[in-house]
């Protein structure tokens, strides 16, 4: 698990299987947050992890893209996890990776959270090729980190 300190804020990345997109977002966020000493850490969960067969804990696309970027696997959890109300309550910010895909699941499973989650628009395979989808996630995560850095700078003044 990445370096953490007390009173660290948490961002939660949500996708369907907690196998591919959310795990990549988690790792990219934690890699950069640690390097920048940002007081935030990410974790990820899935809305329907049963859709990914047992034994498939991390997408080979995610693994390859992390290795290509020299981002350590320790920046993501070792296995997939199902989203719970406690996860949502334990995060300061929750981001679902695909509005059209995840909002209906959130509405069904956690209706009180539907409007409190930020929804991005990063599709899954086969609609979006892994290289393209992971590049979109990385761009979104870096933008989020820049927003958090700007907010931290304003808070210090």
């Amino acid at each position: 698990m990445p370096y953490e300190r007390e009173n660290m804020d948490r961002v939660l990345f949500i996708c369907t299987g907690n196998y591919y997109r959310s795990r990549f977002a988690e790792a990219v966020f934690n890699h950069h947050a640690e390097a920048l000493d940002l007081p935030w850490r990410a974790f990820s969960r899935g809305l329907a992890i049963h859709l990914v067969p047992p034994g498939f804990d991390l997408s080979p696309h995610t693994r390859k893209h992390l290795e290509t970027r020299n981002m350590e696997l320790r920046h993501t959890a070792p296995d997939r996890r199902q989203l719970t109300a406690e996860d949502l309550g334990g995060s300061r910010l929750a981001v679902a990776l695909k509005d059209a895909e995840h909002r209906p699941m959130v509405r069904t499973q956690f209706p009180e959270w539907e409007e409190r989650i930020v929804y991005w628009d990063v599709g899954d395979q086969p609609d979006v090729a892994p290289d393209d989808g992971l590049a979109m996630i990385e761009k979104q995560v870096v933008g989020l980190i820049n927003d958090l850095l700007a907010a931290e700078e304003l808070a210090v003044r």
Side-chain angles (χ1 to χ4, degrees):
M1 190 71 197
Y3 162 74
E4 291 195 32
R5 58 184 184 245
E6 279 192 48
N7 302 321
M8 193 166 281
D9 285 316
R10 298 178 75 196
V11 60
L12 167 62
F13 291 105
I14 304 165
C15 71
T16 303
N18 194 220
Y19 171 69
Y20 167 52
R21 293 172 290 171
S22 62
R23 298 283 294 287
F24 184 73
E26 172 189 17
V28 170
F29 187 96
N30 286 333
H31 171 83
H32 290 298
E34 185 179 272
L36 295 166
D37 199 29
L38 190 64
W40 285 77
R41 287 301 176 266
F43 67 113
S44 65
R45 298 292 188 263
L47 288 157
I49 67 167
H50 64 280
L51 296 177
V52 177
F56 290 85
D57 288 324
L58 185 64
S59 163
H61 301 294
T62 298
R63 184 180 301 275
K64 178 185 111 186
H65 279 263
L66 292 175
E67 289 170 358
T68 299
R69 290 162 174 78
N70 294 315
M71 295 181 184
E72 298 175 37
L73 289 176
R74 69 180 176 87
H75 290 297
T76 186
D79 55 7
R80 299 177 299 113
R81 303 262 172 93
Q82 181 67 36
L83 180 65
T84 67
E86 291 77 23
D87 296 324
L88 290 161
S91 63
R92 182 160 170 207
L93 172 65
V95 177
L97 276 289
K98 177 72 174 170
D99 192 341
E101 179 183 352
H102 299 127
R103 186 183 294 267
M105 291 184 206
V106 169
R107 185 179 303 130
T108 299
Q109 296 177 38
F110 305 99
E112 65 281 6
W113 283 91
E114 180 183 359
E115 299 304 320
R116 294 161 59 181
I117 293 173
V118 173
Y119 296 89
W120 289 353
D121 194 27
V122 181
D124 200 356
Q125 302 174 70
D127 298 328
V128 177
D131 289 346
D132 297 335
L134 295 175
M136 286 190 286
I137 291 169
E138 186 171 28
K139 183 178 179 180
Q140 292 277 87
V141 168
V142 168
L144 172 60
I145 288 173
N146 286 333
D147 290 346
L148 294 173
L149 284 167
E152 290 285 323
E153 188 174 300
L154 290 174
V156 172
R157 293 178 191 240

